[in-house]
């Protein structure tokens, strides 16, 4: 009789411990897998760490580095699916592969939050429990254009004295909404503010990558050489690739011979700005994105609407949400800025 009581007591305890994803005792954590395009990208590495910090109280989170290899990322996703993962976070390497990733996730009924490196969300139509957290690329571009206005200095950078600055633009992936928006609106905003600019060549596609930008710079300098007075980069990572090449040519070693305007405010860029060899960057806070993703994950896994209690609303596509963005400016000492943010 005593054994029977113990058996039914244990069974009742097990039943009460069941969660929405199967047998899950109350003190167990959700299992999350986070797939990052490349941990060599300092901004993404910092964002992944912030996600880990935000989610650690309620989830076990494993971060996978795809090393800019889409096939490796697909392999990592397949392996994670078979480890009883509750939800995945995907910073996709190449957005053109998004359909293949979506089919894989849907086959196993695995919910996902895509973030950064924004795919075309129209492809998400027809898939359930798949959402996207994105930046506001238009506002990011405008911020970079305003920053350029703050550090504008023809006397220093206009080497050919033609009254305007000749620039090259380093862009993220072709077809990427955030990269295209940063590129377009940074230049449009600068021109609206009255800054005379002349582009050298087309946008140079460097896919957010420092190494690719470093490899592209010889081509740029071979074509335009002394004509380059300003480099505008979609992110600090590519800007640092350009800076490395310039340093090897004896430029931007002690001062910013060529003005460099970046975006993100990663640690190494901030250090180069303090040294005076990198002109300025837009510092993009990453805590807002990490916090929103955390709230969405917990909401969904506890059976609530993704955006419950967040104060955010879906875009018209009903699958993506854009963060407002927390931006500040950082410029080298002596640059003509109204406010310098220190770190």
């Amino acid at each position: 009789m005593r054994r029977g009581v113990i058996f039914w007591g244990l069974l009742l305890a097990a039943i009460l411990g069941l969660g929405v994803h199967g047998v899950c005792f109350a003190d167990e954590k959700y299992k999350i897998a986070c797939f990052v395009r490349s941990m060599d990208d300092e901004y993404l590495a910092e964002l992944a760490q912030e996600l880990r910090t935000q989610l650690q109280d309620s989830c076990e989170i494993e971060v996978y580095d795809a090393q800019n290899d889409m096939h490796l990322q697909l392999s990592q996703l397949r392996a994670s699916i078979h480890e009883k993962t509750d939800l995945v976070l995907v910073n996709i390497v190449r957005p053109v592969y998004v359909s293949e990733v979506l089919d894989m996730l849907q086959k196993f009924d695995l919910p996902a939050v895509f973030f950064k490196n924004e795919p075309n969300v129209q492809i998400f139509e027809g898939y359930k429990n798949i959402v996207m957290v994105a930046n506001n690329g238009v506002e990011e571009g405008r911020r970079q254009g305003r920053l350029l206005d703050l550090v504008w200095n023809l006397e220093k950078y206009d080497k050919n004295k033609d009254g305007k600055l000749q620039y090259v633009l380093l862009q993220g992936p072709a077809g990427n909404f955030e990269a295209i928006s940063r590129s377009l609106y940074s230049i449009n905003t600068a021109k609206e503010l009255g800054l005379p600019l002349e582009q050298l060549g087309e946008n140079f596609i460097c896919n957010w990558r420092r190494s690719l930008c470093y490899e592209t710079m010889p081509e740029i300098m071979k074509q335009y050489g002394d004509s380059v007075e300003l480099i505008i980069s979609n992110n600090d990572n590519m800007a640092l690739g350009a800076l490395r090449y310039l340093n090897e040519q004896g430029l931007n070693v002690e001062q910013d011979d060529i003005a460099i305007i970046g975006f993100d405010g990663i640690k190494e860029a901030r250090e180069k700005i303090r040294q005076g060899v990198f002109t300025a960057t837009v510092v993009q806070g990453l805590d807002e994105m990490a916090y929103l993703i955390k709230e969405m994950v917990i909401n969904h896994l506890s059976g609530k609407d993704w955006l419950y209690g967040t104060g955010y609303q879906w875009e018209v596509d009903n699958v993506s949400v854009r963060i407002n963005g927390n931006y500040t400016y950082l410029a080298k000492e002596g640059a003509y800025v109204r406010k310098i943010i220190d770190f």
Side-chain angles (χ1 to χ4, degrees):
M1 180 68 176
R2 177 66 176 165
R3 289 180 181 177
V5 171
I6 293 173
F7 171 79
W8 289 110
L10 290 173
L11 181 60
L12 177 61
I15 293 172
L16 291 174
L18 286 173
V20 294
H21 298 279
V23 178
C24 178
F25 291 95
D27 59 348
E28 289 185 356
K29 295 182 177 181
Y30 295 114
K31 190 171 183 178
I32 307 296
C34 178
F35 301 91
V36 177
R37 174 178 60 80
S38 173
M39 295 292 277
D40 283 340
D41 185 315
E42 189 176 319
Y43 182 83
L44 291 176
E46 290 179 5
L47 179 57
Q49 181 56 47
E50 183 65 22
L51 284 168
R52 192 193 301 273
T53 300
Q54 294 269 1
L55 285 162
Q56 64 184 359
D57 289 340
S58 51
C59 302
E60 291 181 4
I61 178 168
E62 183 76 22
V63 177
Y64 296 85
D65 179 5
Q67 303 171 37
N68 278 310
D69 185 333
M70 188 66 231
H71 296 294
L72 174 58
Q73 189 170 70
L74 288 171
S75 176
Q76 292 170 336
L77 276 160
R78 292 189 193 99
S80 177
I81 284 172
H82 295 292
E83 293 177 1
K84 298 182 179 179
T85 302
D86 292 299
L87 183 147
V88 298
L89 309 175
V90 184
N91 169 232
I92 194 166
V93 174
R94 296 183 60 189
V96 293
Y97 279 80
V98 68
S99 293
E100 187 170 345
V101 174
L102 290 171
D103 289 341
M104 187 189 309
L105 297 174
Q106 204 74 108
K107 180 179 179 180
F108 292 92
D109 196 26
L110 188 58
V113 179
F114 284 75
F115 66 100
K116 301 289 289 178
N117 221 20
E118 182 177 351
N120 183 347
V121 293
Q122 291 181 345
I123 300 173
F124 287 26
E125 186 176 349
Y127 294 91
K128 64 177 183 178
N129 296 328
I130 306 290
V131 296
M132 173 81 202
V133 178
N135 293 99
N136 187 332
V138 173
E139 180 58 23
E140 291 171 344
R142 288 174 177 152
R143 292 281 182 165
Q144 196 173 42
R146 292 173 196 145
L147 174 60
L148 185 55
D149 178 47
L150 292 175
V151 299
W152 188 259
N153 187 345
L154 279 179
E155 183 178 349
K156 175 174 174 54
Y157 302 115
D158 184 17
K159 298 177 178 62
N160 62 6
K161 305 303 178 185
D162 65 350
K164 55 189 173 184
L165 294 187
Q166 279 72 37
Y167 73 93
V168 294
L169 196 147
L170 309 176
Q171 183 178 306
N176 179 275
F177 176 82
E178 188 174 7
I180 292 170
S181 298
R182 285 188 188 181
S183 301
L184 177 63
Y185 284 91
S186 61
I187 301 303
N188 285 354
T189 300
K191 290 182 175 180
E192 288 170 2
L193 292 168
L195 307 185
L197 290 164
E198 180 183 353
Q199 184 168 6
L200 299 173
E202 301 297 324
N203 296 0
F204 290 90
I205 307 299
C206 297
N207 295 341
W208 307 122
R209 295 171 58 188
R210 187 180 309 199
S211 59
L212 184 54
C213 186
Y214 172 76
E215 294 164 2
T216 303
M217 282 301 293
E219 173 192 345
I220 292 174
M221 298 306 286
K222 181 179 179 180
Q223 289 187 60
Y224 304 110
D226 293 340
S227 298
V228 180
E229 298 169 330
L230 167 66
I231 294 173
I232 302 172
S233 178
N234 279 179
N235 74 348
D236 289 341
N237 212 37
M238 295 187 295
L240 288 166
L243 178 61
R244 176 188 167 195
Y245 181 80
L246 293 178
N247 288 167
E248 292 175 357
Q249 310 310 306
L251 296 168
N252 287 56
V253 175
E254 297 182 355
Q255 62 175 337
D256 54 339
D257 304 293
I258 295 174
I260 300 177
I261 307 296
F263 198 102
D264 280 339
I266 64 176
K267 182 178 179 180
E268 187 175 348
R270 300 198 302 262
E271 181 57 34
K272 295 300 182 182
I273 288 170
R274 287 194 184 93
Q275 294 173 14
V277 298
F278 188 128
T279 310
T281 189
V282 179
V283 182
Q284 177 180 218
L286 49 77
D287 53 338
E288 180 184 4
M289 174 169 281
Y291 177 78
L292 177 58
I293 291 174
K294 183 261 292 187
E295 291 294 297
M296 292 174 69
V297 166
I298 301 305
N299 278 340
H300 182 74
L301 292 177
S302 59
K304 299 175 184 176
D305 180 79
W306 289 96
L307 296 181
Y308 175 81
T310 65
Y312 280 88
Q313 294 183 338
W314 297 113
E315 296 288 301
V316 294
D317 52 45
N318 288 317
V319 295
S320 67
V321 57
R322 297 193 182 279
I323 63 171
N324 297 322
N326 177 23
Y327 309 107
T328 52
Y329 302 131
L330 180 66
K332 68 168 201 158
E333 184 178 357
Y336 293 135
V337 295
R338 290 188 284 270
K339 184 177 182 182
I340 298 178
I341 308 299
D342 196 13
F343 291 82

